[in-house]
Structure formats: structure tokens, C-alpha cells
Amino acid sequence: GLLVSIVCVCLSKWVVAETPLLVSIKMFQRSLSASPVKSDRGPQRAITVQQLLKLFDAFENHIRSRNMYYVSENIVKPLTKPHKVSFAELVGTQTLTWFVSHFWGMPFRHFVDSIRLHAESVDPSRWLLQAYWVCTFCNNQWDVAAEVGNGQWQQSSFYLALRSESCQGTCMVVDEHV
């Protein structure tokens, strides 16, 4: 009886213990100034370099040399889970200027550095405000079927973003092996 009670108390404390990543997720969520605002998929659901850097700065110690697969599953999805929205809707949507093509398997740090360098090169004075459409952040990861157009590619968020009048071009992020 007593041993079982002690084990149950110890297990319950272990199960509810917050990991450092969970603590960072809650801190980031508390830092957001407003409730998420849902928007149509496509070009109106981009993020700025400033928003990307805020995310990276908040989770850099957790991400280390990991890639977008890690960021999506362990950071973006937990952050957006309470509202079931895209990351862009969570932090405040922007209208895209650049569409981003990238490989999810490259280190996320390389991805962030590449976007920063691109933004600095196209607008040195306002580079933090450059808006990028990145699938991980601009698609609602809780409703991927709708994001890809429910089988109608011309209704996909990718197509809508690429074909929008606000899209000035594609920023292709490649690694040093290309």
C-alpha cells in the first residue's frame, strides 16, 4: 500500500514535470501580444524576418543543429496547438514579398541565416520587415489537406502564394553541397 502510493506520487510528478522546451513554448506563447487572427491561405499568410528571428532566438538552445522537421513537430505544432492555426496566424500575418523553397533536412540555423542574408541584400534599410512565405510557418499544420487544396492544386496555399501579385520572386535556400 505505502510503496504503491509513493510510486504513484513520484510518477505523477515525473509525468507533469515541464521540460525546458515546454517552458520555452509557454514563454513564447505568453510573449504574443494578441490572439491569433485566422486568414485565408496563400499570400496573406507570410511572416517577416523579424518574426522568424524572434522564433529562432527563443528556441535556439533547443534547435541547436536540428532541422525543419524538428522545428515543425517540436516547436511550431506545440505553439499552434491551442488555436489550431498556422504559425503566421499565431504571430501576425503579413502579405508575402518572397516565396521560399527549401529542403526541410538542412540545419534550421542555415535556413534562418540564408533568409536573413537574402533580406539584407534586397532591402538593407528595411530587411527585418521583408515578408516570406515558408510552408512550415504559413500552412496550418493542423489542416494540411486544406493547405494543399484538398486535391485541387490550384487551390493550394503554395499555388496561391506563388501566383499572387505581391510575390516578387522565389528565395531558394540551398546548402553548401549544392
Side-chain angles (χ1 to χ4, degrees), residues 70-82:
Y70 175 85
V71 171
S72 178
E73 288 302 313
N74 296 281
I75 298 170
V76 172
K77 287 188 81 174
L79 281 172
T80 60
K81 185 176 183 179

Side-chain angles (χ1 to χ4, degrees), residues 91-104:
V91 298
T93 60
Q94 309 296 319
T95 300
L96 90 125
T97 307
W98 305 100
F99 182 92
V100 178
S101 177
H102 64 102
F103 169 52
W104 278 41

